[in-house]
Each structure stands twice: as C-alpha cells, then as structure tokens.
C-alpha cells in the first residue's frame, strides 16, 4: 500500500511539473509573438527616419571649415602674356621718349635762351619723365597674366596695386578683339570681355598672339553659350568661316537687288497706266469742250 501511494504521489508531481513547463513555454511563445511585430515596426520606422535625419544633417551642417580647405582662385597658376608684348611696350616707350625730347628741344631753341641752368633743368626733367614712364609701363606689362578655367576667366594686372579679376562664363555677354599698328607688327591682339550690365570691358587683356586670341574668343563664346542662350547667336557667327558669311551676305544683297528691280518695274508700269488714263481723259474732254 505504501508503495502504491508513493507511486501515485510521484505521478501527480510529474503531471504538475509538465503542466507548469507547458504553461511557461506557451507564455514565452506569446511574448515572442507580441514582441516581433513591435520590433519589425520599430525597424521600419528607423529605416524611414534614417535618410531624413541624414539629409537634414547634411543641409543643416554648421561645422567650421579649416582655412586650408577654403577654395580660392588665388592658388591657380597664371600664364604670362606673349613675350612680344614686352618688346612692343619698350618700342612705345622709345617713341614717347623721342617725342618728349623733340618737345624739350623746341622749348630750349624757340625762346633762344641757352642758359646752362635752364638746359640742365629741361634735360633732367625730360629724362626723369622718360625713365618713370618706361619703368611703369614695363612693370605693368610684366604683371599681366591670365588663365582659362572650366567655369571662369581669370586675369591679373598691377605691380603696386595688384588686381585679380574673375569673370564667370554665366555673366559673359560679348568678346571682341582689337589690334593697333604696333600690335599688328608684333602679331599681337587685345582681348576685351564685356559682362552683363557693364558698359565698359570688364577684362581687357593685351599681349596675346593673334591666332591664340581668336581661338580663345571662340572658346569663351562657346562656354558662355552653354550657360547663357543669348550669346549662342554670336558664338555661332564667330564659329562660321568668313567665306560662308560673305556668301550669305552676297545672297541677301542679290535678294534686295531683285526686290528693288521689281518695285521699279511696278512703278514704271503704274506710271505708264497713269499716262494712258490721262490721255483718255484729255481726249474725252476735247469733244465735250467743242460741244
């Protein structure tokens, strides 16, 4: 009997342990099932909000930039103008010196007063003016430099007060070339760039070889046409050969000549018709007057 009772008590304890284990497993499964949707929802919310937070941080970033990372066109290496420009400047200074010496000689000869003090003063003054003008012009010519960048044209000039100008292609409106007698002699040209809203040239760059200046002009107009459609017409005309432009102009002149000849023929026909009508009217008036 005792063994039977012990066996029954062991069986009851075993069933109670199994029931408790099953209930614990069921509660853990329920907790996992309830936690999994919440976790997936949290992950989805984090995935949606992460790009927004990232873009917001990118747009509202206020981190300071070191001076070494500042972008400046002062660090761009510049190219000097053609070497013939220095010879041209020296030639102009020599011509100016000759003219000034002639004027100084006339100042001494015409009055007829050849006092040593006056001759010395006029000579020293003329030499001083010649030296200063020649030095300043030569140093200014040596200070000229430029560079053609991807989005802008940069020019530097001046040796006492250095001036560096940057002209973006988006503001470029017109580009012209000019060359005087000495510039033609030394195969040079002056490039002038006009910007929007400016009456005078914003960049005036002398001392460029003529073929290089023409190529640079076409390049600047092409770059400006990409950013500014109003310059496209001028760049198209600059890119066309001269013979084609002359041919088109001759065709236009021929059309104008044809129109003028047609109008003159129409006017002649009208005049003949008027004369015939006048004759008929005078002929009709004659019999009426006789009656």
């Amino acid at each position: 009997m005792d063994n039977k009772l012990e066996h029954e008590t062991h069986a009851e304890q075993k069933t109670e342990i199994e029931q408790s284990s099953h209930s614990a497993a069921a509660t853990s499964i329920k907790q996992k099932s309830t936690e999994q949707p919440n976790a997936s929802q949290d992950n989805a919310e984090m995935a949606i909000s992460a790009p927004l937070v990232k873009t917001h941080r990118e747009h509202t970033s206020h981190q300071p930039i070191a001076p070494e990372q500042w972008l400046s066109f002062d660090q761009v290496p510049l190219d000097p103008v053609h070497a013939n420009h220095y010879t041209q400047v020296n030639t102009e200074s020599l011509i100016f010196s000759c003219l000034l010496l002639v004027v100084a000689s006339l100042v001494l000869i015409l009055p007829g007063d050849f006092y040593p003090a006056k001759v010395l003063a006029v000579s020293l003054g003329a030499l001083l003016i010649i030296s200063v003008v020649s030095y300043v012009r030569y140093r200014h010519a040596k200070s000229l430099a430029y560079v053609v960048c991807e989005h802008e044209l940069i020019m530097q000039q001046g040796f006492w007060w250095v001036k560096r100008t940057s002209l973006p292609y988006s503001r470029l409106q017109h580009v012209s070339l000019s060359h005087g007698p000495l510039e033609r002699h030394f195969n040079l040209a002056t490039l002038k760039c006009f910007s929007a809203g400016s009456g005078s040239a914003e960049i005036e760059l002398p001392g460029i070889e003529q073929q290089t200046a023409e190529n640079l002009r076409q390049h600047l107009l092409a770059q400006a046409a990409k950013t500014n459609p109003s310059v496209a017409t001028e760049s198209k005309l600059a890119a066309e050969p001269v013979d084609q432009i002359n041919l088109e102009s001759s065709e236009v002149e021929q059309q104008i000549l044809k129109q003028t000849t047609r109008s003159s023929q129409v006017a002649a026909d009208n005049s003949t018709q008027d004369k015939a009508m006048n004759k008929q009217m005078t002929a009709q008036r004659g019999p009426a007057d006789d009656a």
Side-chain angles (χ1 to χ4, degrees), residues 99-110:
L99 293 175
L100 188 60
L101 290 175
V102 170
V103 172
S105 302
L106 292 175
V107 169
L108 293 174
I109 293 171
L110 291 178

Side-chain angles (χ1 to χ4, degrees), residues 54-128:
K54 186 176 180 181
T55 55
H56 179 71
R57 288 178 180 176
E58 289 178 355
H59 288 292
T60 60
S61 179
H62 297 286
Q63 295 181 357
I65 300 175
E68 293 80 8
Q69 298 178 356
W70 292 353
L71 298 177
S72 174
F73 61 80
D74 292 333
Q75 300 176 358
V76 179
L78 303 179
D79 299 325
V81 296
H82 201 273
N84 289 342
H85 182 61
Y86 311 140
T87 309
Q88 174 197 342
V89 170
N90 291 331
T91 306
E92 292 176 354
S93 300
L94 181 60
I95 294 172
F96 172 76
S97 303
C98 294
L99 293 175
L100 188 60
L101 290 175
V102 170
V103 172
S105 302
L106 292 175
V107 169
L108 293 174
I109 293 171
L110 291 178
D113 300 329
F114 296 100
Y115 296 105
K118 185 177 180 181
V119 173
L120 183 61
V122 172
S123 302
L124 290 177
L127 291 176
L128 181 62

Side-chain angles (χ1 to χ4, degrees), residues 53-275:
V53 173
K54 186 176 180 181
T55 55
H56 179 71
R57 288 178 180 176
E58 289 178 355
H59 288 292
T60 60
S61 179
H62 297 286
Q63 295 181 357
I65 300 175
E68 293 80 8
Q69 298 178 356
W70 292 353
L71 298 177
S72 174
F73 61 80
D74 292 333
Q75 300 176 358
V76 179
L78 303 179
D79 299 325
V81 296
H82 201 273
N84 289 342
H85 182 61
Y86 311 140
T87 309
Q88 174 197 342
V89 170
N90 291 331
T91 306
E92 292 176 354
S93 300
L94 181 60
I95 294 172
F96 172 76
S97 303
C98 294
L99 293 175
L100 188 60
L101 290 175
V102 170
V103 172
S105 302
L106 292 175
V107 169
L108 293 174
I109 293 171
L110 291 178
D113 300 329
F114 296 100
Y115 296 105
K118 185 177 180 181
V119 173
L120 183 61
V122 172
S123 302
L124 290 177
L127 291 176
L128 181 62
I129 293 172
I130 290 170
S131 301
V132 171
V133 171
S134 301
Y135 176 76
V136 170
R137 284 182 55 82
Y138 182 76
R139 287 295 303 271
H140 183 269
K142 293 290 288 185
S143 67
L144 292 174
Y146 70 100
V147 64
V148 182
C149 299
E150 184 178 359
H151 303 287
E152 59 189 356
L153 174 66
I154 301 173
M155 174 191 172
Q156 177 178 305
Q157 60 180 346
F159 60 97
W160 281 336
W161 290 276
V162 180
K163 179 182 178 182
R164 185 172 286 195
T165 306
S166 174
L167 180 61
Y169 299 142
S170 58
R171 294 181 60 243
L172 186 62
Q173 291 290 327
H174 176 64
V175 183
S176 64
L177 295 178
S178 63
H179 39 80
L182 283 177
E183 286 181 326
R184 287 196 299 270
H185 176 73
F186 291 104
N187 195 23
L188 299 176
T190 300
L191 182 75
K192 296 181 181 180
C193 299
F194 298 86
S195 62
S198 177
S200 59
E202 188 166 347
I203 287 182
E204 187 171 352
L205 182 62
I208 306 178
E209 196 265 334
Q210 288 187 3
Q211 187 61 39
T212 305
E214 181 62 30
N215 295 335
L216 179 57
R217 174 177 174 271
Q218 294 180 5
H219 172 74
L220 293 177
L221 289 174
Q223 292 296 327
K226 293 180 181 179
T227 57
N228 192 359
S230 62
V231 195
T233 305
E234 184 179 353
S235 62
K236 184 178 179 180
L237 291 175
E240 290 181 354
V242 179
D243 296 336
Q244 185 176 357
I245 295 174
N246 294 331
L247 181 61
E248 292 178 356
S249 62
S250 62
E251 290 178 355
V252 172
E253 290 176 357
Q254 290 178 1
Q255 291 178 0
I256 294 171
L257 183 60
K258 289 180 181 178
Q259 291 178 359
T260 53
T261 52
R262 287 177 183 175
S263 61
S264 62
Q265 290 178 359
V266 171
D269 294 337
N270 292 330
S271 63
T272 54
Q273 290 178 2
D274 293 336
K275 290 179 180 179

Side-chain angles (χ1 to χ4, degrees), residues 35-53:
E35 288 177 356
Q36 283 179 356
N38 294 329
S40 62
Q41 186 176 1
D42 294 337
N43 292 330
E45 291 178 355
M46 290 176 66
I48 294 171
S49 62
L52 297 176
V53 173

Side-chain angles (χ1 to χ4, degrees), residues 21-41:
S21 63
H22 284 299
S23 62
T27 54
S28 64
I29 290 169
K30 287 182 180 180
Q31 289 179 356
K32 287 182 180 179
S33 63
T34 56
E35 288 177 356
Q36 283 179 356
N38 294 329
S40 62
Q41 186 176 1

